[in-house]
Amino acid sequence: MITSPHRKRNKALGLAELVAIALGGMVGGGIFTILGISVSMIGNLTPIAIIVGGIIASLAAYSYVKLGLYYRDEGATYSFFKKTYPKSHLSASIIGWFIIFGYISTLALYAYTFSSYVISSSSFAENMLIRKTIAIGIIAVFALINIWSVNGMGKIEDLMVYTKLAVLAVVSFILIQHGTTNFETFVSNMVTDAEKSSVFTILIVASLTFVAFEGFQLVINAVEEMKNPEKNIPRAIYTAIVLAILIYVIIAIGALFAIPIPEIIKNKEYALAAGAGNILGSIGTNLVILGAVLATSSAISGTVFGSSRQMSVIATDGYFPNWLSNRNNGSPKNAIIAMALLASVLIIIGGLELILEFGSITFLFVSLLMAIANYKIRAKTNSSKFITLLAIFGLTIGAILILFYEFKNKWEQMLIIILLYIVLALGAWIYSEKRKKATL
């Protein structure tokens, strides 16, 4: 059984705490990353794309909720798929490899965003070498913290979650209030951008935003510590997704009200800090940087903690190298180091968009597998055939749209992503064959 990706609390978790866990997982570096890229593609229609992305995330969440209530296993994604296809070693291996490397991509994304904002107000803002060095450095810091102390970060993470949400809300409302654009002009600009952008492009951006909603499944990891799972799992997940949509939309509107689109595109890797600085000076810049640092730090720490334990359990099952299963005083030191190293490699070989798109496609694919698993046992999970098929359709289209966008605009980057998937599939197949032989 997989250890919960959040620190253990010595009490039964209520709805408010479960919503906080989900929001802590979702509101990481995603919104800071997708804002500039989205605006560069569809301008003032960015809030619409975020809402559509949230709807796709809700469809994905449906199967997680149903499977979570049926299996009651804190292992979530990996355990659900393994239990749904108990006779297929390849299925278990594939879901294990893809979910772990999905977490590795988000770890790289959060670290990259952290470094972009940390140096955004300095003369090194455009220095790619320094940006990547700091990103790798912050991963190393949290890897060492997780190796050193299992429980020490729990309360600090809770504080970071609540503080980052408050800071982001304050910054967004200040931007809206002090922006040069009024609501009427904003709507007019949306109409203009709608005439320039196709529905196809909006759906591509919506699919790219999916990675910003990754993390809601952390609620299921807490199934053994919560009150009334039947009611609180669906309530917490859907409430958190709605709140995340609202937070992201408010941030996007605040940026579009206050920051000229050319500036957002130019500074897309730290657009919010640059815009707040133009309006509120150094105080605004520092406030945004604080929000970004808190958001990404809590997400980095939580991702290292949870995903390393999943990697250790998957290795124990025989689908990763055995040395990754080793634990010292409960801490999967080898898995933590492996996660940190692999995320660092991804940062070195890829830029922001490569990491974002690889992460989005990976979690779309993993969520698609969850929807397929739920469809297979829909009678047992008491799931709607229509909603489950709609989720399968939406997640499939989302993944195809991102790949199409890559093929049309950055085919070299698409080849790198496809190569990464070939490597992952090959690794999953090799270890599934090893596991199959070991059980004969």
Side-chain angles (χ1 to χ4, degrees), residues 159-222:
L159 179 62
M160 286 193 291
V161 168
Y162 298 128
T163 305
K164 74 184 179 184
L165 295 177
V167 170
L168 292 174
V170 169
V171 169
S172 300
F173 282 113
I174 290 176
L175 287 174
I176 292 173
Q177 187 176 3
H178 290 80
T180 56
T181 301
N182 56 39
F183 185 74
E184 186 179 340
T185 304
F186 175 69
V187 173
S188 176
N189 291 337
M190 286 185 69
V191 173
T192 302
D193 288 334
E195 294 173 351
K196 297 177 183 177
S197 304
S198 65
V199 174
F200 191 67
T201 307
I202 295 171
L203 290 175
I204 289 174
V205 175
S207 301
L208 288 173
T209 67
F210 187 80
V211 74
F213 293 97
E214 187 279 320
F216 60 78
Q217 66 270 29
L218 293 181
V219 169
I220 297 171
N221 294 120

Side-chain angles (χ1 to χ4, degrees), residues 36-76:
I37 293 173
S38 176
V39 171
S40 69
M41 293 175 66
I42 58 175
N44 289 275
L45 296 173
T46 292
I48 303 297
I50 290 173
I51 293 171
V52 176
I55 293 171
I56 296 173
S58 297
L59 289 173
Y62 180 79
S63 291
Y64 277 95
V65 168
K66 291 296 185 179
L67 291 168
L69 290 174
Y70 177 69
Y71 284 123
R72 301 293 183 92
D73 191 322
E74 63 178 1

Side-chain angles (χ1 to χ4, degrees), residues 190-265:
M190 286 185 69
V191 173
T192 302
D193 288 334
E195 294 173 351
K196 297 177 183 177
S197 304
S198 65
V199 174
F200 191 67
T201 307
I202 295 171
L203 290 175
I204 289 174
V205 175
S207 301
L208 288 173
T209 67
F210 187 80
V211 74
F213 293 97
E214 187 279 320
F216 60 78
Q217 66 270 29
L218 293 181
V219 169
I220 297 171
N221 294 120
V223 67
E224 294 184 356
E225 300 170 72
M226 68 176 67
K227 302 173 185 176
N228 198 354
E230 292 83 0
K231 291 184 178 179
N232 282 337
I233 285 179
R235 285 177 180 176
I237 287 178
Y238 294 129
T239 299
I241 290 174
V242 170
L243 289 175
I245 293 171
L246 289 174
I247 292 167
Y248 294 161
V249 167
I250 291 170
I251 290 173
I253 291 175
L256 290 166
F257 265 51
I259 311 170
I261 286 181
E263 287 295 313
I264 295 178
I265 296 172

